[in-house]
Amino acid sequence: IRLPQLIITQQFIKLTSQTRTVFRLRFDQRLSYKAIAEQTGISEATVYKHLAQAIKKMKEQFNPNQK
């Protein structure tokens, strides 16, 4: 595993299980926010919040000065 991939994996593990699920559905399975909401039983707004949180945490790892 390359260093950036290892860092991403370490950050991914720190996310809540719901956030990891939403992230995988969006980026691995390429589902829409609506499809993710239907599949997980949460609102589209909550899907957005989970994705925003995951992306923010990933960015913080690479740019710790930009929080």
Side-chain angles (χ1 to χ4, degrees):
I1 296 178
R2 295 184 315 237
L3 184 59
Q5 187 178 5
L6 178 63
I7 292 169
I8 290 170
T9 300
Q10 289 172 341
Q11 284 301 105
F12 188 76
I13 291 168
K14 293 178 184 178
L15 300 174
T16 67
S17 62
Q18 184 73 49
T19 301
R20 285 193 307 267
T21 298
V22 169
F23 191 88
R24 283 187 176 127
L25 291 172
R26 179 66 178 156
F27 295 105
D28 291 346
Q29 296 184 22
R30 308 255 190 238
L31 296 182
S32 67
Y33 285 28
K34 183 177 181 178
I36 295 168
E38 290 171 356
Q39 187 167 333
T40 59
I42 60 178
S43 71
E44 286 183 58
T46 303
V47 169
Y48 176 84
K49 288 178 185 177
H50 279 293
L51 290 172
Q53 177 184 11
I55 292 167
K56 179 182 176 188
K57 289 194 181 287
M58 298 293 178
K59 283 182 177 180
E60 285 174 359
Q61 185 63 37
F62 288 99
N63 266 333
N65 296 328
Q66 292 184 341
K67 287 188 177 186

